[in-house]
Amino acid sequence: MVAVGEGVRTLSGELIAPAVKAGDHVLVESHAGIEVKDGEETYTIVGTSNILAIVE
């Protein structure tokens, strides 16, 4: 993970923090997310629901 958002809000407005943090290595579903290119670097933007596991 290069960057992580602030989390998601419930219907009542409560903020739920993400389970991952910048620097974590994660496994994601095949074909998940959107690829974005920044210069020579390619990043994949994925939602929390597409993260299968945090590799430790």
Side-chain angles (χ1 to χ4, degrees):
M1 301 298 298
V2 175
V4 178
E6 65 178 13
V8 295
R9 296 223 176 251
T10 64
L11 294 176
S12 64
E14 181 183 351
L15 182 64
I16 298 176
V20 296
K21 61 187 179 304
D24 284 349
H25 293 274
V26 297
L27 299 176
V28 297
E29 294 179 354
S30 178
H31 307 292
I34 300 168
E35 284 198 358
V36 177
K37 193 163 188 166
D38 180 28
E40 296 296 317
E41 295 290 328
T42 301
Y43 301 98
T44 304
I45 300 172
V46 296
T48 303
S49 61
N50 296 116
I51 297 174
L52 300 175
I54 301 171
V55 179
E56 295 184 2

